Amino acid sequence: MLRLVTTSLCLYCQRAQVTPLLLTRPRSVIFQEENQLVVNALYDLSVDISKVRKLKGWVLRQSPVYVSETATLLRDMGASGPVIARVLELYPEAILCNPDQMEAQKKLWMSVCATHKDLVGIIEKFPASFFTSSSDHNNQKANIAYFQTLHLNKRIISKLMASAPQSFSRPMKQNEEMIQTLQKTYLDLGGKEDNMKIWLQKLLTQNPYVLLKLPNALPDNLAFLRNVGFTGDELLRLLSKLKGFVTELNPESMRLTLSYSQETLGCTDAELRQIVLQCPALLYHSVPILADRFKGLLAAGVSMEQIMETPTVLELTTQIVQYRIQKLHSFGYDVRSGSLEFLNGTKKDFEMSYGKLRLRQERPLFNPVAPLRTED
């Protein structure tokens, strides 16, 4: 094991304190050539060295490195050889974190993970969330304590840490400000305090990045929507359907998309609001995207009346709509004279829909009043 640098921070932590660019292409390295000890150690763990060279080749030229310590930490928590190899292929920077930092992270994460198996599962999917800079540790600890005061269960907190690590690396006060904004908004719109914890928990799991948005974006956007006629109850439904993405919008972009949609559909203000409640995509897709989707549907023979009845079809890309229309047509279903509901949903939902049509085509309906055929 090479340790040519003596410092209180591991090499990864030092680089993390400079600029994100250095994590992918550092300005200077200790070795001009690859550190063969690193390459051999990773090879012994069945790591695909070619992947590491292609994605993060600079890691192979670093020292000190902690390959065996990283593997031992993961192995002691129950990680198999293939899992360890996948982690190091996906995030080779892990070998730059010193053992003390890794142990501190393990202790921190075990405060929100039920078992070592759960933690290994998180590391396998989100290694960058575990192998973080030591400078983030105090913020992570403070944020965990704060979210526990909200009575969020450990599983939810661990998911937030894994999927949105940036929100735990920043000062706790910033998350507290955003959470308080969300809570106040929920109550102001008529939400019941008894249900607020469940609502907040669902919102955060659906869109953990909402914590990273500016708190004032939410009231500004909701004020705009209230001015165009949405009630408090409707805004609460919309906020839940948008999964917190309302914080990524702005009044001007919403004004443009709503104006375009109303002009294209030829509907009243009240009808437009109901359509938006069914299809929030009308708020966050740009005018060019919506124009392309309307054009694609009309070219397929779909009428504006059909779109107004099933506006959620506008959430699908033109390519997906064309594919699904052709698939349905092959089973004798014509969307021009039928409902657009068959087009909706995820890929799995659609496969179930056309599967039913195929069965209907292959197996005629039983007629209970038809005489039975009998052999003479």
Side-chain angles (χ1 to χ4, degrees):
M1 185 65 57
L2 294 176
R3 293 186 180 82
L4 303 180
V5 177
T6 57
T7 174
S8 59
L9 293 178
C10 64
L11 185 59
Y12 169 74
C13 295
Q14 295 175 64
R15 294 195 181 283
Q17 288 183 321
V18 186
T19 64
L21 179 61
L22 295 185
L23 297 180
T24 54
R25 186 173 295 176
R27 293 177 183 174
S28 61
V29 293
I30 293 178
F31 294 106
Q32 294 298 320
E33 302 296 331
E34 289 181 352
N35 183 340
Q36 200 56 45
L37 292 178
V38 176
V39 174
N40 292 341
L42 291 174
Y43 183 81
D44 290 341
L45 292 170
S46 300
V47 173
D48 189 335
I49 304 298
S50 64
K51 288 184 179 179
V52 177
R53 286 192 179 111
K54 183 178 180 180
L55 299 175
K56 303 285 178 67
W58 61 270
V59 174
L60 301 177
R61 300 192 295 272
Q62 303 302 308
S63 179
V65 292
Y66 306 94
V67 180
S68 62
E69 290 90 339
T70 305
T72 298
L73 177 92
L74 294 171
R75 193 177 295 114
D76 288 347
M77 291 192 292
S80 65
V83 167
I84 294 172
R86 282 197 297 273
V87 169
L88 296 181
E89 286 170 4
L90 181 63
Y91 198 73
E93 298 98 314
I95 65 174
L96 304 180
C97 286
N98 68 51
D100 289 342
Q101 168 62 7
M102 288 189 285
E103 282 296 333
Q105 280 295 96
K106 176 183 174 182
K107 182 178 179 181
L108 183 71
W109 277 86
M110 285 309 299
S111 69
V112 292
C113 290
T115 65
H116 283 151
K117 181 180 179 181
D118 292 339
L119 179 53
V120 169
I122 288 174
I123 295 174
E124 187 177 4
K125 293 180 180 178
F126 305 98
S129 299
F130 180 83
F131 297 103
T132 60
S133 167
S134 59
S135 62
D136 297 335
H137 190 81
N138 289 336
N139 282 337
Q140 289 176 319
K141 191 172 181 180
N143 277 302
I144 288 174
Y146 170 66
F147 282 109
Q148 287 175 334
T149 66
L150 299 175
H151 305 294
L152 300 181
N153 63 51
K154 291 182 176 181
R155 182 177 61 85
I156 298 297
I157 297 175
S158 64
K159 280 188 174 183
L160 288 174
M161 284 183 68
S163 56
Q166 306 96 317
S167 60
F168 279 75
S169 299
R170 65 183 194 159
M172 179 271 291
K173 287 294 182 183
Q174 294 180 18
N175 285 327
E176 183 181 36
E177 185 180 1
M178 189 62 196
I179 291 294
Q180 288 176 348
T181 299
L182 290 169
Q183 291 174 326
K184 183 179 185 302
T185 299
Y186 175 80
L187 295 175
D188 289 346
L189 294 177
K192 296 182 179 179
E193 192 162 358
D194 292 344
N195 299 329
M196 186 165 65
K197 173 193 163 184
I198 296 175
W199 176 83
L200 182 63
Q201 189 165 281
K202 185 177 181 180
L203 183 71
L204 292 176
T205 52
Q206 289 176 329
N207 180 18
Y209 294 103
V210 70
L211 292 170
L212 300 174
K213 304 303 176 183
L214 295 175
N216 61 354
L218 182 58
D220 288 349
N221 288 334
L222 292 179
F224 167 80
L225 292 170
R226 192 184 288 275
N227 287 336
V228 298
F230 287 96
T231 65
D233 181 61
E234 289 172 339
L235 287 175
L236 188 57
R237 286 163 52 196
L238 197 57
L239 183 60
S240 298
K241 278 195 171 186
L242 283 168
K243 303 173 183 178
F245 287 107
V246 70
T247 57
E248 299 177 19
L249 305 174
N250 64 75
E252 180 58 19
S253 67
M254 289 189 287
R255 184 189 66 77
L256 290 173
T257 56
L258 288 176
S259 177
Y260 170 78
S261 298
Q262 184 170 22
E263 182 179 347
T264 303
L265 292 168
C267 59
T268 65
D269 291 348
E271 288 173 332
L272 180 64
R273 288 194 295 272
Q274 291 307 308
I275 290 172
V276 169
L277 287 172
Q278 293 179 65
C279 180
L282 290 180
L283 290 177
Y284 56 77
H285 283 317
S286 66
V287 170
I289 288 177
L290 289 175
D292 179 66
R293 296 185 180 183
F294 274 113
K295 181 180 178 181
L297 287 165
L298 295 175
V302 174
S303 68
M304 282 297 181
E305 290 75 13
Q306 287 177 294
I307 297 175
M308 288 181 66
E309 289 175 1
T310 314
T312 45
V313 74
L314 292 168
E315 294 177 352
L316 304 172
T317 66
T318 301
Q319 291 76 16
I320 290 176
V321 167
Q322 290 173 343
Y323 167 78
R324 292 185 178 184
I325 287 176
Q326 292 172 0
K327 195 77 173 177
L328 292 173
H329 182 71
S330 67
F331 294 116
Y333 187 85
D334 189 348
V335 295
R336 293 173 299 181
S337 57
S339 171
L340 299 184
E341 285 292 344
F342 281 112
L343 294 175
N344 276 334
T346 62
K347 180 181 178 182
K348 184 177 180 180
D349 295 332
F350 176 70
E351 289 174 348
M352 290 179 62
S353 295
Y354 80 70
K356 292 177 182 178
L357 289 175
R358 182 175 58 188
L359 287 175
R360 187 186 303 173
Q361 184 185 51
E362 295 174 352
R363 186 177 59 195
L365 293 175
F366 171 66
N367 185 349
V369 298
L372 295 173
R373 294 182 60 184
T374 58
E375 297 292 336
D376 293 335

